[in-house]
Amino acid sequence: MTSAIAGAFGRVEPRKAATGYLRGLLSEIPRKTCWDLSKHAGYTTPDVMQRLLSRATWDEDAVRDAVRRYVIDHLASPDAVLVLDETGQEKKGVATCGVGRQYTGTAGKVTNCIVAVYATYASPLGHALIDTELYVQRKYVDLPATREAMGLPDDWAFATKPQLAQRIAARAVAAGVHIAWAAGDEVYGRDPKLRAFLEQQQIGYVLAVGVDFPVATAAGSHRAGHLAALVSADSWERRSCGAGSKGPRVYDWAMVATTSARHVLLIRRSVSDPSELAFFYSHVPEGRVLTLSVLVKIAGVRWAVEEDFQQSKGQAGLDHAQVRRYRSWRRHVILVMAALAVLAVVAAVERGRHPAPVVPCASTDAPPGDYGLIALTVPEVRRLLTVFTQLTAVVTPRIAALRRQFELQWSIWRRRHQARARWHHYRRRLART
């Protein structure tokens, strides 16, 4: 990754600092602030890392584009899905760029926070974050002094989250990224301009919508919730929308036709609680077959962005930045995406070489003699990268070899333990279905 982004740095000093920043993000230090990253890199003060984020000359757009190319080069697929979603970081003050009282799923409530829209590139090979845009509330339109203090660009103008998502998707399309599908939650499914853009680009979509979303049918326009009540009992099909850590994610699914031959309303119903429904407005471009199995699969891919949020925060410090100005925030986030891309690609390559998982076929299966190992995960890759690439700098080669062997033994034990847990979770899930 460092070679992929090297061209964005005109001088050796910021390039060296960025390399140290990335190594720190990939390390096991618990907090990834400039102070901690500077100490990890061997600097005696945080000045170098703070300058990297705030004043050093380098092209963060070029780094972002290099991250996207790196992900596409390793994870590209004809069935790729662009997953759009937002996540937040709680803040106490009023000076951080874009901060304000707003809802964030991170806290599950309205709180003082910053929120950004992200895009995950997801394929059968793996997934990683490839782009982002900071969401800044409309109230700042009338606060030029505050915008200047936050370091927002001179040409900043208010944009809704769907508009930011469209901006991200347009950049990917302009870069030549093949996107077969788009997925997102209700914020994006409700926006007609975003849906129109995706259709113009021949990108299919499965976007969540609310219970009150109006759907045009041959019998007139009806709310999604009303249409769900009209679905006959034999029209529901039980299908898995993907494999989870505890077994296949099985739901009941139904499709409702609309006045358009290329659009349908997809309805998901919980197996354990039939009153729990979710709705997805879906579009399949001309030339592709519209089937329930395809739409169910795309609906299930949406979990990839949630996993990327979890991994980028837990493993690479996405929400650890203690910055105030827009440029510093953006540079930190782009470097975090670069670190996560490394972890995601290594995990994907290793997963492709990994044997098929040992899982039960029926709820009556007896436990096997060998559960095998789970494939390398992003957290496991991060642990091993730390011990294999950064250990010899602080200990002798003999001690480093012993430590690596020790860590490998623990890695094998964890993965075997997790494979055993997965087998029993799968069998329990089969018993319930």
Side-chain angles (χ1 to χ4, degrees):
M1 176 56 75
T2 52
S3 60
I5 67 175
F9 300 87
R11 295 176 57 87
V12 66
E13 293 87 357
R15 184 162 62 247
K16 180 181 177 182
T19 300
Y21 203 95
L22 281 172
R23 287 177 175 168
L25 293 175
L26 292 168
S27 74
E28 56 188 2
I29 59 176
R31 295 292 297 174
K32 270 81 170 182
T33 66
C34 278
W35 288 22
D36 298 296
L37 294 173
S38 297
K39 183 179 179 181
H40 180 269
Y43 297 115
T44 56
T45 70
D47 295 350
V48 172
M49 294 304 189
Q50 290 175 343
R51 177 177 175 81
L52 173 71
L53 296 186
S54 61
R55 301 185 304 279
T57 301
W58 57 282
D59 189 347
E60 58 264 29
D61 285 349
V63 175
R64 177 202 62 203
D65 295 345
V67 171
R68 183 177 57 222
R69 285 194 302 272
Y70 178 81
V71 171
I72 304 306
D73 287 346
H74 291 87
L75 305 181
S77 166
D79 300 321
V81 182
L82 191 72
V83 190
L84 304 165
D85 202 356
E86 73 276 352
T87 190
Q89 177 184 358
E90 290 190 85
K91 290 287 185 179
K92 291 184 178 179
V94 296
T96 304
C97 56
V99 73
R101 287 194 60 79
Q102 53 193 317
Y103 177 83
T104 172
T106 304
K109 61 181 180 181
V110 174
T111 185
N112 203 58
C113 63
I114 58 173
V115 172
V117 177
Y118 291 84
T120 277
Y121 180 88
S123 80
L125 300 177
H127 53 87
L129 297 173
I130 62 169
D131 207 342
T132 184
E133 286 280 353
L134 180 67
Y135 174 71
V136 183
Q137 292 171 293
R138 191 187 298 271
K139 66 181 181 180
Y140 290 109
V141 170
D142 300 322
L143 300 172
T146 303
R147 294 202 311 272
E148 182 178 358
M150 292 179 174
L152 292 173
D154 293 337
D155 60 351
W156 175 83
F158 173 74
T160 65
K161 292 172 186 176
Q163 287 171 335
L164 296 176
Q166 182 174 328
R167 192 180 299 173
I168 290 170
R171 276 200 294 264
V173 171
V177 178
H178 172 73
I179 303 169
W181 298 92
D185 66 17
E186 192 175 328
V187 171
Y188 309 96
R190 283 186 174 276
D191 191 81
K193 292 182 179 179
L194 176 60
R195 299 199 307 267
F197 169 81
L198 296 173
E199 293 179 22
Q200 290 167 4
Q201 300 299 324
Q202 293 297 297
I203 298 173
Y205 58 75
V206 180
L207 297 170
V209 293
V211 65
D212 59 344
F213 183 79
V215 180
T217 71
S221 179
H222 296 278
R223 296 166 67 252
H226 176 71
L227 292 173
L230 300 179
V231 176
S232 61
D234 58 355
S235 295
W236 295 95
E237 295 189 29
R238 187 158 297 179
R239 295 175 181 263
S240 168
C241 61
S245 60
K246 297 184 178 181
R249 290 174 288 146
V250 178
Y251 296 90
D252 291 330
W253 301 84
M255 282 197 310
V256 177
T258 72
T259 53
S260 165
R262 311 311 304 174
H263 295 82
V264 296
L265 177 69
L266 180 68
I267 307 174
R268 187 187 72 195
R269 185 177 70 182
S270 170
V271 174
S272 58
D273 182 4
S275 65
E276 184 181 311
L277 301 172
F279 305 91
F280 305 86
Y281 193 62
S282 306
H283 165 72
V284 180
E286 292 286 347
R288 294 197 228 166
V289 179
L290 196 165
T291 64
L292 177 64
S293 59
V294 169
L295 298 183
V296 166
K297 177 183 175 182
I298 303 306
V301 173
R302 223 183 85 198
W303 66 269
V305 73
E306 298 296 342
E307 184 171 306
D308 284 343
F309 289 155
Q310 180 183 8
Q311 305 294 16
S312 60
K313 292 179 180 181
Q315 305 302 321
L318 180 68
D319 58 348
H320 292 183
Q322 295 177 341
V323 298
R324 289 190 172 184
R325 293 176 66 82
Y326 173 74
R327 173 189 277 184
S328 299
W329 171 86
R330 189 164 182 265
R331 287 181 167 185
H332 170 77
V333 169
I334 288 172
L335 290 172
V336 167
M337 290 196 302
L340 180 65
V342 171
L343 299 175
V345 166
V346 172
V349 170
E350 291 301 314
R351 187 165 52 248
R353 303 169 180 166
H354 195 75
V358 178
V359 294
C361 297
S363 60
T364 55
D365 285 1
D370 183 6
Y371 295 93
L373 304 174
I374 69 163
L376 283 173
T377 61
V378 164
E380 200 66 36
V381 169
R382 203 268 305 153
R383 293 188 191 100
L384 295 177
L385 275 179
T386 297
V387 78
F388 273 82
T389 63
Q390 302 183 23
L391 195 59
T392 51
V394 294
V395 297
T396 65
R398 180 175 178 274
I399 296 298
L402 291 173
R403 176 67 185 278
R404 287 171 183 148
Q405 183 61 34
F406 177 79
E407 292 292 343
L408 275 175
Q409 289 174 344
W410 267 101
S411 176
I412 290 171
W413 183 88
R414 277 192 299 267
R415 294 164 63 201
R416 194 176 302 282
H417 175 76
Q418 290 166 332
R420 182 188 305 114
R422 176 182 61 191
W423 192 93
H424 287 281
H425 282 311
Y426 271 53
R427 188 174 67 170
R428 191 176 302 114
R429 182 68 63 87
L430 288 170
R432 290 201 298 265
T433 57

